[in-house]
Amino acid sequence: MWSVRTDCVKKSSVRDCLFGGYSSNSLLQVICSDSVRLVGGRSLCSGSLQIQDQSLAQSWAGVCEGALDRRGAEVLCRELGCGAPLLQGALSPLGQTFHCEGNESKLMDCNRTRTGPETCPTLNLTCKEPLRLVGGASRCEGTVEAELSGEWRRVMTYDYMGLYDLWDLESAAAVCRGLDCGSPVSAEVRNGSDSKVWRFFPDCVKKKSSVRDCLHEGRSSDSLLQVICSGHQEAPEDGTGP
């Protein structure tokens, strides 16, 4: 096989980062979204919507505000492997470009009203991270679980010389933020075994601000991560805030 330096690929092409490798019992697999992406956000699940198709000569182009309604946003977030969309004012039930039923696997499978080039504010969308907290008193506290490649597992940090204390409030902030649960109040490592987990380096989460972008295949673990978030605070109906 060929081996690749992942830190090199992030700055260059795969070809420029290959070197001779030995035998391996593992393979790399990728699922790409070839027609839509969110760019400029804090993770793959947030940012400005761009699409690519033949009518655009295969170049990427921004999508105007109001082009998606709630069902279209749900299709998009699902295609990107993210959670449900956090509904915003830019989502419109009227005059949208994409007319989705909600069960499509890709946004470009939706019926579409084609429009010519125009100048408009770009649609920004945030999807929830594919995370959840289980076993707590509310959705904003409990044991950390994440979905990757369609599989939910508990999440654990890499054991760096036994230093699990690398899991701290700064790392847990990405979990609370991804769940729209405010800020972390408590971050603990507790005993509890699981045969298969997703693992990550806390330093990666602190840099990328997203747990999903830092997950890797992991084996069994005898420890679990727990978080208590402050919770999402809804504004009063009169809009005056707390």
Side-chain angles (χ1 to χ4, degrees):
M1 66 170 190
W2 295 114
S3 294
V4 63
R5 298 187 298 273
T6 53
D7 57 338
C8 172
V9 172
K10 296 173 183 177
K11 302 175 182 178
S12 184
S13 68
V14 174
R15 177 182 179 182
D16 294 339
C17 301
L18 295 175
F19 62 96
Y22 301 96
S23 61
S24 173
N25 58 2
S26 300
L27 302 173
L28 302 182
Q29 289 193 320
V30 178
I31 298 177
C32 301
S33 174
D34 58 355
S35 58
V36 297
R37 66 185 182 185
L38 295 174
V39 299
R42 64 172 183 255
S43 74
L44 297 175
C45 294
S46 66
S48 300
L49 175 58
Q50 293 184 345
I51 63 172
Q52 181 186 49
D53 70 351
Q54 293 180 350
S55 67
L56 299 171
Q58 295 302 316
S59 63
W60 289 97
V63 174
C64 294
E65 284 188 359
L68 293 180
D69 62 1
R70 178 183 57 80
R71 287 181 294 186
E74 290 173 350
V75 171
L76 171 64
C77 291
R78 186 168 60 246
E79 178 180 354
L80 295 176
C82 304
L86 299 176
L87 300 183
Q88 300 166 316
L91 300 179
S92 171
L94 299 174
Q96 68 265 30
T97 304
F98 294 92
H99 306 271
C100 302
E101 297 295 327
N103 56 1
E104 295 88 351
S105 59
K106 294 184 178 182
L107 182 64
M108 301 302 282
D109 291 340
C110 300
N111 291 326
R112 191 163 117 205
T113 302
R114 296 183 180 272
T115 59
E118 56 182 318
T119 302
C120 60
T122 303
L123 171 64
N124 285 280
L125 182 66
T126 298
C127 310
K128 290 182 179 179
E129 297 285 337
L131 295 168
R132 64 189 181 193
L133 298 175
V134 299
S138 73
R139 72 174 189 87
C140 291
E141 63 177 271
T143 301
V144 184
E145 294 187 354
E147 182 187 26
L148 189 64
S149 301
E151 183 177 355
W152 284 95
R153 297 184 189 178
R154 289 176 174 175
V155 175
M156 189 58 205
T157 60
Y158 280 102
D159 178 10
Y160 179 69
M161 299 177 64
L163 297 178
Y164 285 122
D165 58 348
L166 295 174
W167 173 247
D168 54 17
L169 291 177
E170 186 179 357
S171 301
V175 174
C176 296
R177 184 170 52 246
L179 292 170
D180 195 28
C181 280
S183 57
V185 176
S186 171
E188 297 181 347
V189 178
R190 294 191 177 181
N191 293 332
S193 61
D194 209 327
S195 59
K196 295 171 67 177
V197 298
W198 300 119
R199 289 189 181 270
F200 71 96
F201 289 104
D203 283 348
C204 175
V205 171
K206 294 173 184 178
K207 293 176 182 177
K208 293 192 175 184
S209 300
S210 168
V211 175
R212 174 201 169 173
D213 296 349
C214 300
L215 294 178
H216 299 275
E217 177 74 31
R219 296 181 180 177
S220 61
S221 172
D222 57 4
S223 300
L224 305 172
L225 302 183
Q226 290 202 322
V227 179
I228 298 176
C229 305
S230 60
H232 178 64
Q233 198 168 30
E234 299 287 352
E237 292 184 1
D238 61 6
T240 57

